[in-house]
């Protein structure tokens, strides 16, 4: 049987990436066929589960542990550490439709040793599934004020992560101390809380190493197309990279400045490519922010053959860097590594000449930001509670088809000083 060299190469790279991860070997050997209670076990969802919602609450059992590291990814074993927690559960951020995810829990035991659980997996529901028509509620803050007022600010998103701005009072039900709140007696109100500021921040990374030197004109043409496709609420910064990453143009909304930087500053580099380092650096240039004060959606576009010859950074570091970040890759050149470009292109992987497909995404991102900016709600009411007690408050959407941990807001408040 003939082995595809490209596939063999990517398997080799993933093996290298895995070697850099901090999966500690279990210090507690177990009898074959018997799982120690100090090894993470009994997963929820059960191993191999299908049609999971995009917000998945992971649970497990384990004894004698001080804390847990949770790894999740699309590779087996998973490479990305999502969280370190003292709890035996974790609700993921938004995942992707119709993807098999692998996950693993590393228990840090009370005696200082580590115990690695097995790799489990689940698959999210397909985008065409009717069961995906649900909502997640994300708490922003809760405030109280005298004489007896409670105000909650929260966001509503659908299971694709898109902001929902079409709900009103009739869509919600509220429970105080587990009892339904009377809308009439409490003067319950729900109004949209519009966020004023939103922006797209884009990092454009251009490979200028010798392996793509013959494609310089194509790279510059693609970069100019992207610059000219800039949206009114977007800023773009341009870098080039080979052995190191160099700034050509800092963040600006001026398409002419961006095009001029490509025409006059982009130049051939050296015979060494820190591709993974460029990915890590580029994704560090912004922080996504979704709050009532400010909404920033960042993305990176990297034009390269995907060939890292320097070895200063690893594929595992690059994959961790793009986790929860929007990255588009554009591949070209005689040494192109499509498997790597596909793995890192969280928003899509394209060939040179398809850059117009990415500028179309800018318009979609812009519309998504507008929806997100209007997907925050202020819920307020006058509480009948008095005294210095602590009370529970639950907010949920009527007939919500999503029933996971984020299908409702469950929080507490104090009625101290209420009168």
């Amino acid at each position: 049987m003939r082995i595809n060299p490209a596939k063999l190469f990517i398997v080799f790279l993933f093996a290298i990436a895995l070697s850099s991860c901090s999966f500690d070997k279990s210090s507690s050997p177990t009898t074959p066929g018997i799982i120690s209670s100090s090894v993470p076990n009994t997963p929820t969802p059960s191993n191999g589960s299908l049609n999971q919602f995009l917000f998945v609450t992971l649970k497990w059992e384990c004894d004698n542990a001080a804390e847990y590291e949770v790894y999740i990814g699309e590779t087996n074993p998973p490479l990305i550490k999502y969280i370190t927690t003292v709890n035996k559960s974790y609700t993921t951020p938004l995942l992707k439709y119709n993807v098999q995810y692998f996950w693993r829990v590393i228990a840090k035991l009370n005696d200082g040793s580590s115990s690695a659980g097995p790799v489990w997996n689940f698959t999210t529901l397909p985008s065409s599934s009717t069961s995906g028509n649900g909502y997640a509620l994300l708490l922003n803050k809760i405030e109280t004020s005298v004489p007896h007022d409670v105000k909650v600010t929260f966001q509503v998103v659908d299971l694709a992560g898109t902001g929902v701005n079409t709900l009103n009072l009739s869509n919600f039900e509220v429970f105080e101390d587990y009892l339904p709140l009377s809308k009439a007696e409490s003067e319950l109100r729900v109004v949209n809380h519009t966020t004023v500021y939103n922006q797209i921040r884009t990092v454009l990374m251009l490979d200028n190493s010798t392996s793509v030197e013959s494609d310089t004109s194509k790279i510059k043409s693609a970069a100019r197309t992207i610059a000219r496709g800039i949206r009114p609420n977007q800023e773009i910064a341009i870098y080039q990279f080979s052995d190191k990453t160099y700034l050509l143009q800092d963040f600006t909304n001026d398409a002419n400045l961006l095009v001029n930087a490509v025409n006059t500053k982009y130049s051939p580099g050296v015979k060494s490519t820190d591709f993974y380092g460029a990915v890590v650096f580029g994704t560090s240039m912004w922080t996504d922010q979704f709050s009532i004060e400010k909404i920033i959606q960042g993305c990176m576009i990297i034009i390269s053959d995907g060939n890292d010859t320097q070895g200063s950074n690893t594929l595992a570091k690059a994959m961790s860097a793009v986790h929860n970040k929007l990255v588009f890759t554009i591949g070209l050149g005689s040494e192109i590594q499509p498997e790597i470009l596909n793995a890192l292109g969280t928003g899509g992987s394209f060939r040179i000449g398809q850059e117009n497909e990415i500028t179309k995404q800018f318009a979609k991102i812009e519309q998504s930001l507008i929806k997100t900016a209007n997907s925050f709600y202020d819920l307020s009411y006058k509480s009948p509670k008095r005294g210095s007690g602590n009370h529970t408050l639950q907010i949920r959407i009527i007939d919500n088809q999503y029933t996971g941990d984020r299908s409702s807001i469950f929080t507490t408040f104090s009625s101290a000083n209420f009168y």
Side-chain angles (χ1 to χ4, degrees):
M1 179 180 67
R2 178 181 175 82
I3 299 176
N4 187 315
K7 290 185 177 179
L8 184 61
F9 178 69
I10 193 65
V11 169
F12 172 70
L13 284 176
F14 273 111
I16 294 175
L18 178 59
S19 69
S20 68
C21 294
S22 58
F23 291 152
D24 299 323
K25 293 183 179 179
S26 171
S27 61
S28 305
T30 59
T31 304
I34 299 177
I35 299 177
S36 167
S37 61
S38 296
V39 176
N41 62 85
T42 319
T44 300
S46 60
N47 192 33
S49 293
L50 304 176
N51 297 320
Q52 298 298 302
F53 283 106
L54 304 191
F55 295 102
V56 180
T57 298
L58 307 174
K59 298 180 181 180
W60 59 91
E61 296 296 328
C62 186
D63 295 331
N64 308 317
E67 61 181 18
Y68 306 92
E69 295 179 346
V70 181
Y71 289 80
I72 310 172
E74 298 179 37
T75 61
N76 185 8
L79 301 176
I80 300 168
K81 182 168 71 174
Y82 270 51
I83 194 173
T84 299
T85 177
V86 297
N87 301 313
K88 288 187 262 189
S89 67
Y90 172 62
T91 299
T92 69
L94 185 74
L95 302 177
K96 293 184 280 189
Y97 282 113
N98 200 30
V99 170
Q100 184 180 38
Y101 287 94
F102 298 89
W103 64 290
R104 176 184 234 177
V105 178
I106 310 294
K108 303 296 182 178
L109 303 181
N110 293 322
D111 62 6
S113 62
S114 298
S115 176
V119 176
W120 299 307
N121 73 84
F122 61 86
T123 302
T124 52
L125 50 80
S127 59
S128 59
S129 173
T130 57
S131 61
N133 297 325
Y135 304 99
L137 282 71
L138 310 176
L139 176 64
N140 184 272
K141 62 181 177 180
I142 179 170
E143 301 172 304
T144 58
S145 60
V146 294
H148 44 253
D149 300 323
V150 180
K151 180 180 177 181
V152 184
T153 302
F154 60 95
Q155 185 187 14
V156 181
V157 298
D158 64 22
L159 295 188
T162 303
V164 176
N165 60 354
T166 57
L167 303 178
N168 55 46
L169 177 61
S170 64
N171 298 115
F172 295 94
E173 54 187 353
V174 182
F175 300 84
E176 195 179 63
D177 289 341
Y178 303 99
L179 297 176
L181 191 70
S182 168
K183 294 181 180 180
E185 292 187 4
S186 64
E187 299 181 27
L188 180 65
R189 298 175 68 243
V190 176
V191 297
N192 282 99
H193 184 126
T194 303
T195 302
V196 175
Y197 181 86
N198 65 85
Q199 184 188 67
I200 307 170
R201 291 178 70 82
T202 302
V203 177
L204 178 57
M205 303 288 294
L206 308 178
D207 191 340
N208 71 329
S209 62
T210 53
S211 64
V212 295
E213 192 170 3
S214 62
D215 296 298
T216 295
S217 61
K218 294 179 181 179
I219 293 174
K220 294 175 73 171
S221 175
R224 287 191 294 263
T225 297
I226 291 168
R228 289 170 180 144
I230 194 169
R231 306 297 298 179
N233 65 334
Q234 183 177 18
E235 290 189 345
I236 298 177
I238 304 178
Y239 294 83
Q240 67 180 21
F241 68 92
S242 53
D243 62 327
K244 296 180 180 179
T245 300
Y246 297 93
L247 177 66
L248 303 184
Q249 173 60 54
D250 207 349
F251 284 105
T252 179
N253 185 252
D254 191 327
N256 291 327
L257 283 178
L258 294 166
V259 170
N260 184 64
V262 172
N263 289 336
T264 62
K265 297 180 181 180
Y266 176 77
S267 58
V270 300
K271 296 180 180 180
S272 178
T273 311
D274 187 17
F275 174 72
Y276 299 143
V279 171
V280 173
F281 177 86
T283 53
S284 72
M285 288 295 98
W286 83 89
T287 300
D288 291 332
Q289 184 172 338
F290 300 93
S291 70
I292 57 174
E293 292 83 18
K294 184 183 296 184
I295 295 176
I296 297 176
Q297 171 67 72
C299 65
M300 180 174 70
I301 305 163
I302 188 162
I303 305 177
S304 175
D305 57 12
N307 192 11
D308 186 296
T309 62
Q310 188 175 114
S312 297
N313 290 276
T314 64
L315 177 59
K317 287 183 179 179
M319 291 182 66
S320 294
V322 303
H323 168 57
N324 278 350
K325 294 281 183 97
L326 182 60
V327 178
F328 302 99
T329 60
I330 299 178
L332 78 169
S334 59
E335 299 180 15
I336 188 171
Q337 305 295 321
E339 292 89 354
I340 293 175
L341 294 172
N342 287 336
L344 296 173
T346 59
S349 185
F350 302 86
R351 296 297 293 260
I352 196 73
Q354 294 182 308
E355 47 274 2
N356 278 322
E357 295 302 313
I358 294 177
T359 58
K360 291 177 183 178
Q361 294 297 319
F362 293 161
K364 292 182 180 180
I365 294 170
E366 184 177 56
Q367 291 302 310
S368 177
L369 290 188
I370 292 172
K371 285 186 177 180
T372 300
N374 291 284
S375 64
F376 290 87
Y377 295 83
D378 288 328
L379 181 147
S380 60
Y381 70 95
K382 298 185 181 300
S383 174
K385 305 304 180 187
R386 300 292 185 269
S388 300
N390 290 320
H391 305 279
T392 63
L393 177 66
Q394 186 179 21
I395 304 168
R396 66 189 188 194
I397 295 174
I398 299 170
D399 297 327
N400 190 358
Q401 294 186 34
Y402 169 56
T403 57
D405 282 13
R406 296 191 181 183
S407 62
S408 68
I409 289 171
F410 191 88
T411 186
T412 61
F413 68 93
S414 171
S415 59
N417 301 318
F418 279 13
Y419 65 89

